[in-house]
Amino acid sequence: VNMPMNQLLMDVALKLKLLNCEEEYVMDYDNVIIPCEKLDAKYSYKDCEGYSPGVAFIGKHPIYIEGRNGNTSAKYKMADTIQRAFDLCTEKGIKIKTFRSDAAAYSKDIVKTLVKNNVEFFIRANHSRKIFEEAIDNDDWELTEIGDRQWEVTSMDYLYSGSQCRLVITRDTKEKDYKNPHTDDCYIYRAI
């Protein structure tokens, strides 16, 4: 955790007018494997040795970077990392309205952190029997086009970690022979 470097990163973005204190921003967060051959690099799930820093972005601009070794689970202390990124934004007057991340951020600690910081969030949900059962029972599927593909989409209220959330679920048919192991139907489900 190198706060002076992260403060400098934010100061440069403000000085160059890449960010300002009037707008409300979307923060994107991800852990990224950086392959390297340094002596202290660790073997990662990407079949290489390297580091796995956590990086918060606003648009294309990195605003917070925190070092991790390559074999650290993406979820490991992620809520603490995200809170430090929020704290730095608050310190510099940057307003975060929305947070986005992949399924690595789908944890109770992170949702509590996001609720505490009063930000709207979009996180890819992990596959769970409870989500699938509720989705299948939902009769309110709409056909929509996303990109050049047809999808069925539904949404529902979902209580997660004591917070009332809205779960948006898409489903797409696979080949006729496909059988979803969680639902015994032919759909591939994705939830945010």
Side-chain angles (χ1 to χ4, degrees):
V1 177
N2 190 332
M3 289 310 290
M5 288 301 289
N6 282 305
Q7 289 169 334
L8 178 62
L9 190 62
M10 186 77 75
D11 289 341
V12 168
L14 287 164
K15 183 77 170 171
L16 295 175
K17 299 187 186 320
L18 302 172
L19 302 174
N20 66 64
C21 298
E22 275 69 57
E23 286 187 54
E24 292 182 325
Y25 292 102
V26 175
M27 177 191 288
D28 290 297
Y29 180 88
D30 201 2
N31 294 298
V32 181
I33 300 291
I34 300 175
C36 69
E37 297 177 6
K38 291 193 51 141
L39 186 61
D40 63 345
K42 302 290 184 193
Y43 191 75
S44 74
Y45 70 93
K46 293 274 190 176
D47 294 327
C48 65
E49 290 187 347
Y51 300 106
S52 179
V55 184
F57 286 89
I58 292 177
K60 295 180 180 181
H61 310 295
I63 59 158
Y64 187 85
I65 302 171
E66 192 166 292
R68 298 161 169 257
N69 70 32
N71 65 359
T72 301
S73 163
K75 289 182 187 248
Y76 180 72
K77 295 191 175 189
M78 187 190 291
D80 297 339
T81 301
I82 292 168
Q83 184 60 58
R84 283 189 285 273
F86 281 134
D87 290 345
L88 180 59
C89 287
T90 300
E91 175 187 325
K92 298 296 181 177
I94 300 297
K95 299 176 198 83
I96 303 299
K97 179 181 179 182
T98 306
F99 176 88
R100 296 185 299 203
S101 187
D102 60 14
Y106 188 72
S107 81
K108 293 178 180 184
D109 289 343
I110 293 168
V111 169
K112 285 179 184 175
T113 298
L114 298 170
V115 169
K116 180 179 92 174
N117 285 279
N118 196 31
V119 295
E120 176 181 51
F121 55 91
F122 297 87
I123 298 173
R124 180 78 168 265
N126 291 336
H127 291 195
S128 78
R129 183 161 299 282
K130 180 180 178 193
I131 289 174
F132 287 129
E133 287 171 355
E134 290 188 32
I136 290 170
D137 291 341
N138 189 337
D139 293 329
D140 194 23
W141 290 94
E142 293 181 26
L143 190 62
T144 188
E145 191 169 315
I146 302 173
D148 60 349
R149 295 180 61 189
Q150 294 285 322
W151 297 83
E152 290 183 81
V153 180
T154 191
S155 70
M156 60 190 179
D157 291 334
Y158 188 73
L159 188 63
Y160 184 72
S161 183
S163 297
Q164 189 65 38
C165 301
R166 179 173 165 245
L167 198 60
V168 178
I169 302 168
T170 61
R171 69 181 180 188
D172 179 28
T173 55
K174 193 78 170 157
E175 298 100 35
K176 294 176 185 175
D177 300 356
Y178 176 76
K179 185 174 182 180
N180 187 309
H182 300 287
T183 60
D184 293 328
D185 60 18
C186 64
Y187 292 106
I188 295 176
Y189 294 85
R190 292 175 181 87
I192 297 177

